[in-house]
Amino acid sequence: MSDQMYLAYDFPLLGAFWTMLWFFLWVMWFVLLFRIVVDIIRDDSMTGWAKAGWMAFVIFLPFLGVLVYVLARGKNMGRREIAQARAQQEEFESYIRDTAGRGEAPRSSVDELARLSEIRARGDITEEEFDRAKKLVLSGAGARHSTGSGHGTGSTTSTSKGAAR
């Protein structure tokens, strides 16, 4: 055994340290590799051929490919990730605003009539039920009542949420 190997095994704590260091570097290598592959796939500014070229470069010559990719396109990797995260956040906030606003804001009679028209067009209510519901909306009671499911039961009053299935 060489003196260097003897030194590493003579002190078990040092051997454990080197093992943990190499394991950490190995894990970090795969994290970096996967981030680069995801960045290549997500980048909308590259053509398909450019993506294929970078993927081949990163897969067949991984160390050189990753190094060149980070040097050539690394600065914009963070920008693309931030832009994508912001877009997801805005989409989520928009969804929350739309969902939260549905049950709280009173609908105008125009909105209620448009919704009734859509339900009638789908065939969920009959023409007679539509006319009765339209009269309710125009009389001012449409904010509280609307048409039912319209499956021939003759029921014309239910909550707006129940009819908006």
Side-chain angles (χ1 to χ4, degrees), residues 118-130:
E118 289 175 18
I119 293 172
R120 180 185 61 176
R122 284 194 314 250
D124 290 342
I125 60 174
T126 64
E127 189 67 36
E128 179 186 69
E129 290 171 327
F130 173 76

Side-chain angles (χ1 to χ4, degrees), residues 57-111:
F57 192 32
V58 167
I59 290 172
F60 294 121
L61 297 171
F63 292 110
L64 184 62
V66 166
L67 179 66
V68 171
Y69 189 85
V70 168
L71 290 174
R73 300 181 50 85
K75 184 177 182 180
N76 292 328
M77 279 177 67
R79 290 181 184 153
R80 284 188 293 273
E81 189 168 337
I82 289 170
Q84 194 257 349
R86 282 185 182 149
Q88 279 184 339
Q89 182 68 27
E90 288 173 9
E91 188 176 313
F92 177 72
E93 288 172 357
S94 172
Y95 171 76
I96 293 296
R97 278 192 301 273
D98 291 347
T99 304
R102 281 188 188 153
E104 296 174 13
R107 292 184 180 173
S108 70
S109 59
V110 174
D111 292 337

Side-chain angles (χ1 to χ4, degrees), residues 9 15 35-36 69 72-73 78 80 82 85 100 103 107 116 118 132 134 138 141 154 158:
Y9 288 109
R35 285 204 53 191
I36 287 174
Y69 189 85
R73 300 181 50 85
R80 284 188 293 273
I82 289 170
R107 292 184 180 173
L116 283 171
E118 289 175 18
R132 279 188 270 169
K134 185 169 76 169
L138 294 176
S158 68

Side-chain angles (χ1 to χ4, degrees), residues 2-156:
S2 70
D3 289 338
Q4 205 173 27
M5 290 294 284
Y6 179 72
L7 182 63
Y9 288 109
D10 192 28
F11 301 101
L13 189 59
L14 185 62
F17 170 76
W18 283 111
T19 302
M20 288 174 55
L21 177 69
W22 282 110
F23 181 74
F24 174 75
L25 291 174
W26 183 72
V27 168
M28 290 306 297
W29 162 252
F30 280 107
V31 168
L32 179 63
L33 184 65
F34 288 129
R35 285 204 53 191
I36 287 174
V37 168
V38 167
D39 186 62
I40 291 170
I41 293 169
R42 282 187 184 165
D43 190 3
D44 292 333
S45 66
M46 279 198 291
T47 65
W49 287 106
K51 288 181 182 186
W54 276 112
M55 287 294 271
F57 192 32
V58 167
I59 290 172
F60 294 121
L61 297 171
F63 292 110
L64 184 62
V66 166
L67 179 66
V68 171
Y69 189 85
V70 168
L71 290 174
R73 300 181 50 85
K75 184 177 182 180
N76 292 328
M77 279 177 67
R79 290 181 184 153
R80 284 188 293 273
E81 189 168 337
I82 289 170
Q84 194 257 349
R86 282 185 182 149
Q88 279 184 339
Q89 182 68 27
E90 288 173 9
E91 188 176 313
F92 177 72
E93 288 172 357
S94 172
Y95 171 76
I96 293 296
R97 278 192 301 273
D98 291 347
T99 304
R102 281 188 188 153
E104 296 174 13
R107 292 184 180 173
S108 70
S109 59
V110 174
D111 292 337
E112 196 70 24
L113 287 173
R115 189 182 63 79
L116 283 171
S117 181
E118 289 175 18
I119 293 172
R120 180 185 61 176
R122 284 194 314 250
D124 290 342
I125 60 174
T126 64
E127 189 67 36
E128 179 186 69
E129 290 171 327
F130 173 76
D131 289 336
R132 279 188 270 169
K134 185 169 76 169
K135 286 178 187 174
L136 282 173
V137 169
L138 294 176
S139 70
R144 294 183 306 273
H145 296 82
S146 180
T147 60
S149 62
H151 295 292
T153 61
S155 141
T156 58

